[in-house]
Amino acid sequence: MGYRRYANMRCCMVQVRSLCSNTSTISRYGRGRDIDNARKVFDNTPLSQRTIASWNAMVAAYFESHKPCDAVILFDQMPQRNTVSFNGMISGYVKNGMVAEARKVFDSMPERNVVSWTSMVRGYVQEGMVEEAERLFWEMPHRNVVSWTVMIGGLLKESRLDDAKKLFDMMPVKDVVAVTNMISGYCQVGRLDEARELFDELPKKNVVTWTTMVSGYAKNGRVDVARKLFEVMPEKNEVSWTAMLMGYTHCGRMKEAFELFEAMPVKWVVACNEMIMRFGLTGEVNRAKMLFEGMKERDEGTWNAMIKVCERKGSELEALDLFARMQREGAALNFPSLISVLSVCASLASLDHGRQVHARLVRSEFDQDLYVASVLITMYVKCGDLVRAKTTFNRFPSKDVVMWNSMITGYSQHGLGEEALIVFRDMCSSGVQPDEVTFIGVLSACSYSGKVKEGFEIFEAMKCTYQVEPGIEHYACMVDLLGRAGQVDEAMELVEKMPMEPDAIVWGALLGACRNHMKLNMAEVAVEKLAKLEPQNAGPYVLLSHMYASRGRWRDVEVLRKKINARSVVKFPGCSWIEVEKKVHIFTGGGSKSHPEQPIIMKKLEKLGGILREAGYCPDGSFVLHDVDEEEKTHSLGYHSEKLAVAYGLLKVPEGRPIRVMKNLRVCGDCHSAIKLIAKVTGREIIVRDANRFHHFKDGYCSCKDFW
C-alpha cells in the first residue's frame, strides 16, 4: 500500500515537472520570437494538461512577436483565466503601443492587483500620456516601489523635475532604481550638485547609479570630475566605459578619448562606432577607416558611422562603395544609412543609386515618412529628375513646410520661376505658413527667371503679410535679382542700404552681376570686400581675372595671380563628373589623361569640334586666363572638364536618355555656348548641374535662356 502511494506521488511529480517544462519552453521560444515552435509545444500539450500558466505563456509569446490579434483570439479561447492572464493582456498591449486596448482589458478585469495598475500606468507613460498616468496613479488603492518609480520616470520624461522630486519625497521606501532615476533627472537639466547629493546619500549603489553620475558629469562638460569618479568605481561595464569615452569625444578631447579607448578591457562595438564617427568628424578619416577595417564584429551603427564620415568629408564615392559592400556582407539596411546614402546620391547626382535607395525605402516602408519624402525630393531635384521629384511630392496629401520648400527650391534651381511661384501659392492656400527657407527658394526662383516685379512684391510681403523678417540671405537674393536683370547700380544701392553688414554671399552676388554686365570698377570693390571676408577663397580673384582677360588687361591678370600666390589662396580645380551604369566618372580639365578611356574620349571631342565649327561655333578666348595666341586658347577651351564629361556621355549613355553632367564650379560661358550647339547637332538632351543651378540643353537652347 505504501509502495503504491509512493509510486503515485512520483508519477504526479513527473507530470508537474513536464507541465512546468512545457510552459517554460513556450516562454523561452516566445522571448526569442520563435512563435512557430512555441505554438508547436503548446499544441502538442494535451488539452486536459494545459495549465493557465501555459495559456498565459502562449498569449505572451504572440505579443512578443507583435501578433496582438492572435493573442486576443487565444485569450478568448482560454477555459479559465486568472489575474495574471489579464495582466499579461495589459502588458502585451502596452508593449505593442496599444494603450487604448490595454485600458479596455483593465476596465473589464473582475479583480485587479498592484501589477495591473502599475502596468496600465506604465502604458500611459510610454505613450507620453503622463497626465492620464498621473490620474490613474492617484486612484491606485495600493502602490509598491515599482509603481512610484514608473510614475517618477514619467514625470522626468516630461521634464517635470520639481513634480518628480515632490513624488520622490513622498515615497515610503526608496530603492536604488528610484534614486538613480532622480539622479538622471537632475543631470539632464544640469543640476549636478543636487544629483551628487542624492548619489552620496545612497548607501548601496549599483553600477547603473555610478554610470548615471559619471555620464551626468560628462554630458554637462565636467569631464575631469567624471573621470575622477570613473576611476573609483567599484565595477565598470560597457555602458560605464562608453559614457566616459563619449564625455571626452563630445568636448573634442580626442587624445584622452583614444587613451581611454586603448585602455578598455574589451573594444565594444558601441565604443568603436563612437571613435569612428569622432575620428572622421575631426578630419582623421584614415584612423576612422583603420578602426572600421580592424573590427571583427560590426553592427548597423558601425556602417552608419563610416558612411556618414565619408558623406561629410567629401568621400562620396567611398560612401557608395561602402553601401554596396554593406549589402554584399548581409548587414541590415536601416534608416540612417539609407538617408546618408540618399544625401550622397544628391551630392553626386547619382540617379541610378538614388533610385535603388528609393526602392529599398519602399520595401522597408520608410517612404511614408514626410522627412524621407523631403530627402527623396531633394535627391531627385539634384539629380535633375524633376518628374520623379514632383511625383514623390504629389503622393502626399498632407505636406509639411520642409516638403513644400524642397519642391520650391527644386524648381528654383532648375530656373523654372513660374512653377516655383505656383507651388508657393499652393502652399499658402493650403494653410502652411512659409518660413525663411521658403522665401530664399521663391526669391531665388524670381532671380533665376528674371521676375523682378514679382520678386520685389514677395520681398515686401515677407514682413507685412507673412511676419517673416528678411535676413541677410533674402537681401542676397534681391541683390542677385537686380544684378541678373542688369540693374547693377540699383543692386549696389540696396547693398549700401541693408540693415545689416553685407556678408560674402551678398558681395558674391554683386560680383556675379558685375561679371555678367562687365561693371569692372564695381567688381573691383566687391573683390576687395570679399578678400577681407574670405581671404582664402580664390573664386572672386578668378572672376575678376576673367573680366581683365576679356578686356586684354593681361598685366592686371598677372598682378592678381601674384596676389593669389602671396596669400596662399586656395583655388579649387574645376572638375566634372557623369554617372554611367552606376559608376561615377570624374574629369578634370586638360584632357583627363587619368581616365582609362581617354583615347576614345579625345577622338570624340575632335570629331565634335569639327561638327561644331561647321555649325558656326567660334571659341570664346575671353575665358582663357593666359596671354597666348588664339590657337592655344582654342586648344585650352576644348578640354574643359564639362566638355570631356559630355563627350563621354555621348559615347556611353544610350540614345533617348538624357546625359546628366555635374560640375563643381560655375559652367564657363564658352562651354555653355558649345553644349547648346552639341545638344542641337546630336539631337540629345543634356542636363548640366553647376555650382549655381541647372542647365537643360535641348535643340540648341538652354533652360536658363543664357541668364545665369
Side-chain angles (χ1 to χ4, degrees):
M1 200 62 185
Y3 174 77
R4 190 175 299 154
R5 193 182 299 118
Y6 173 72
N8 287 339
M9 283 176 64
R10 277 184 62 89
C11 183
C12 289
M13 286 170 68
V14 168
Q15 286 179 335
V16 168
R17 282 199 200 101
S18 175
L19 295 174
C20 290
S21 174
N22 285 352
T23 302
S24 63
T25 303
I26 293 167
S27 297
R28 189 175 71 251
Y29 281 133
R31 286 191 297 273
R33 295 184 182 175
D34 187 351
I35 196 67
D36 293 334
N37 276 323
R39 187 65 201 233
K40 195 179 291 181
V41 174
F42 179 79
D43 289 339
N44 287 340
T45 305
L47 190 60
S48 59
Q49 292 181 20
R50 288 180 196 162
T51 61
I52 294 179
S54 62
W55 284 87
N56 291 344
M58 193 61 231
V59 168
Y62 276 124
F63 277 123
E64 200 70 50
S65 293
H66 303 296
K67 294 187 174 184
C69 294
D70 293 326
V72 173
I73 292 168
L74 194 67
F75 180 77
D76 290 339
Q77 293 172 1
M78 287 180 72
Q80 287 180 297
R81 303 184 190 113
N82 57 14
T83 305
V84 176
S85 310
F86 284 96
N87 288 348
M89 288 296 290
I90 295 169
S91 177
Y93 276 133
V94 165
K95 280 180 181 176
N96 285 268
M98 302 166 72
V99 71
E101 288 79 359
R103 184 60 191 256
K104 286 175 187 174
V105 174
F106 178 81
D107 290 338
S108 71
M109 286 181 73
E111 191 178 316
R112 305 181 189 109
N113 61 16
V114 71
V115 176
S116 321
W117 288 88
T118 303
S119 296
M120 200 61 240
V121 170
R122 190 191 301 276
Y124 283 130
V125 165
Q126 282 181 196
E127 295 304 309
M129 302 166 68
V130 178
E131 287 184 11
E132 193 65 41
E134 213 173 352
R135 221 174 354 256
L136 194 66
F137 176 79
W138 291 118
E139 290 175 16
M140 288 179 71
H142 304 288
R143 304 177 191 94
N144 62 14
V145 70
V146 179
S147 318
W148 288 92
T149 304
V150 168
M151 193 62 244
I152 288 169
L155 295 171
L156 291 172
K157 192 177 177 183
E158 293 280 294
S159 302
R160 292 168 56 185
L161 181 59
D162 292 332
D163 290 336
K165 178 66 167 64
K166 287 175 188 174
L167 202 64
F168 178 73
D169 290 339
M170 292 168 62
M171 279 184 78
V173 178
K174 300 174 179 66
D175 69 351
V176 68
V177 178
V179 176
T180 303
N181 276 359
M182 282 305 300
I183 291 170
S184 176
Y186 280 129
C187 289
Q188 283 170 17
V189 296
R191 289 162 64 172
L192 296 175
D193 291 341
E194 289 158 281
R196 185 58 187 261
E197 190 179 335
L198 272 181
F199 177 82
D200 289 338
E201 288 173 357
L202 188 64
K204 289 187 178 179
K205 308 170 183 73
N206 60 22
V207 68
V208 179
T209 314
W210 282 90
T211 302
T212 302
M213 196 66 242
V214 168
S215 179
Y217 279 127
K219 285 178 180 175
N220 284 279
R222 295 177 64 181
V223 186
D224 294 324
V225 181
R227 184 60 187 265
K228 285 177 184 175
L229 197 63
F230 176 80
E231 291 300 336
V232 296
M233 284 180 71
E235 63 169 316
K236 304 177 183 80
N237 61 13
E238 176 184 351
V239 182
S240 319
W241 283 94
T242 306
M244 190 63 245
L245 180 76
M246 291 173 76
Y248 281 130
T249 58
H250 285 198
C251 66
R253 290 166 62 172
M254 287 303 295
K255 183 175 179 292
E256 289 104 319
F258 185 67
E259 287 170 358
L260 187 74
F261 180 72
E262 287 292 286
M264 279 184 168
V266 177
K267 301 295 185 287
W268 291 284
V269 172
V270 176
C272 292
N273 296 350
E274 176 66 15
M275 291 301 290
I276 288 170
M277 182 66 85
R278 294 297 158 176
F279 274 143
L281 297 183
T282 53
E284 297 189 82
V285 178
N286 287 335
R287 291 183 79 178
K289 287 178 185 174
M290 282 175 62
L291 181 53
F292 175 83
E293 295 298 345
M295 289 175 69
K296 293 177 182 176
E297 183 187 339
R298 303 184 185 102
D299 65 3
E300 294 174 5
T302 315
W303 291 97
N304 295 343
M306 200 62 240
I307 289 172
K308 176 64 74 178
V309 165
C310 291
E311 176 213 336
R312 293 270 184 91
K313 292 299 171 182
S315 301
E316 288 91 350
L317 292 176
E318 286 188 56
L320 288 181
D321 289 342
L322 269 173
F323 181 65
R325 180 178 160 191
M326 182 180 180
Q327 294 173 81
R328 285 196 306 272
E329 294 187 14
L333 295 177
N334 52 72
F335 188 82
S337 60
L338 289 167
I339 293 299
S340 287
V341 173
L342 267 185
S343 299
V344 168
C345 293
S347 178
L348 286 175
S350 176
L351 186 58
D352 289 341
H353 279 100
R355 287 175 185 152
Q356 181 189 354
V357 175
H358 189 174
R360 288 279 185 179
L361 286 165
V362 171
R363 285 200 290 275
S364 306
E365 298 182 357
F366 288 137
D367 65 317
Q368 303 303 313
D369 184 87
L370 287 178
Y371 171 71
V372 173
S374 300
V375 177
L376 279 169
I377 291 166
T378 301
M379 183 273 293
Y380 281 125
V381 163
K382 289 191 173 182
C383 290
D385 194 337
L386 278 176
V387 174
R388 276 192 171 84
K390 193 67 164 62
T391 302
T392 305
F393 179 79
N394 289 339
R395 278 185 51 240
F396 289 81
S398 177
K399 304 170 182 72
D400 64 4
V401 68
V402 180
M403 276 188 76
W404 287 103
N405 290 348
S406 298
M407 204 65 236
I408 290 167
T409 304
Y411 280 131
S412 167
Q413 289 174 344
H414 285 263
L416 301 170
E418 191 57 49
E419 287 82 348
L421 288 174
I422 290 169
V423 175
F424 173 66
R425 294 185 196 111
D426 289 345
M427 175 186 184
C428 296
S429 61
S430 73
V432 177
Q433 176 71 16
D435 62 9
E436 295 87 349
V437 179
T438 313
F439 287 106
I440 292 171
V442 175
L443 292 174
S444 297
C446 293
S447 176
Y448 286 146
S449 52
K451 294 180 178 292
V452 178
K453 179 173 173 288
E454 292 91 335
F456 265 96
E457 287 173 356
I458 289 165
F459 185 73
E460 291 298 322
M462 274 181 70
K463 191 172 182 181
C464 302
T465 308
Y466 301 102
Q467 286 76 53
V468 176
E469 191 71 38
I472 199 160
E473 299 92 345
H474 305 105
Y475 278 96
C477 290
M478 294 306 293
V479 170
D480 193 55
L481 173 69
L482 289 166
R484 287 176 189 274
Q487 300 177 35
V488 186
D489 293 331
E490 289 85 345
M492 185 63 176
E493 199 175 311
L494 181 62
V495 171
E496 290 169 346
K497 289 181 178 178
M498 280 174 59
M500 68 282 289
E501 195 67 29
D503 66 358
I505 298 172
V506 174
W507 287 112
L510 185 67
L511 178 59
C514 295
R515 174 205 59 211
N516 287 344
H517 302 284
M518 288 309 293
K519 297 277 187 177
L520 197 50
N521 292 339
M522 207 180 290
E524 288 172 339
V525 173
V527 169
E528 190 178 324
K529 295 287 186 181
L530 285 164
K532 292 175 183 174
L533 292 166
E534 295 182 337
Q536 298 303 308
N537 184 6
Y541 293 107
V542 173
L543 284 182
L544 189 57
S545 293
H546 278 302
M547 295 175 75
Y548 285 146
S550 66
R551 294 281 180 89
R553 291 171 56 174
W554 298 109
R555 183 173 294 174
D556 290 321
V557 171
E558 189 57 36
V559 169
L560 271 184
R561 185 173 287 113
K562 286 177 181 176
K563 276 187 182 179
I564 291 173
N565 293 335
R567 292 190 181 201
S568 301
V569 173
V570 179
K571 182 181 183 299
F572 294 103
C575 74
S576 301
W577 61 95
I578 182 171
E579 183 187 38
V580 176
E581 295 178 355
K582 292 188 181 178
K583 186 176 179 184
V584 177
H585 299 261
I586 300 174
F587 299 89
T588 53
S592 281
K593 294 175 183 177
S594 60
H595 196 280
E597 296 179 86
Q598 189 246 354
I600 63 166
I601 296 169
M602 303 309 291
K603 193 173 180 182
K604 182 69 176 177
L605 268 181
E606 287 170 19
K607 186 178 177 183
L608 273 175
I611 296 170
L612 292 181
R613 281 190 292 275
E614 288 175 14
Y617 165 68
C618 181
D620 187 348
S622 67
F623 291 95
V624 178
L625 298 183
H626 303 283
D627 187 11
V628 293
D629 61 32
E630 289 304 312
E631 186 178 344
E632 282 190 67
K633 287 182 181 179
T634 302
H635 180 82
S636 175
L637 289 167
Y639 297 126
H640 277 192
S641 65
E642 52 265 62
K643 286 178 184 161
L644 293 164
V646 167
Y648 192 70
L650 289 168
L651 287 166
K652 298 293 181 177
V653 178
E655 292 278 350
R657 286 178 58 186
I659 295 167
R660 303 173 194 273
V661 171
M662 279 55 65
K663 186 174 182 184
N664 66 332
L665 305 175
R666 178 183 178 272
V667 65
C668 93
D670 177 73
C671 288
H672 191 270
S673 301
I675 296 170
K676 280 198 297 184
L677 266 179
I678 291 170
K680 183 178 181 179
V681 298
T682 61
R684 300 294 296 269
E685 180 184 359
I686 302 169
I687 301 170
V688 176
R689 187 186 91 190
D690 70 7
N692 291 340
R693 61 173 295 161
F694 279 86
H695 301 265
H696 292 253
F697 298 95
K698 194 173 183 181
D699 301 327
Y701 296 95
C702 178
S703 60
C704 75
K705 299 171 186 171
D706 300 334
F707 189 78
W708 90 103

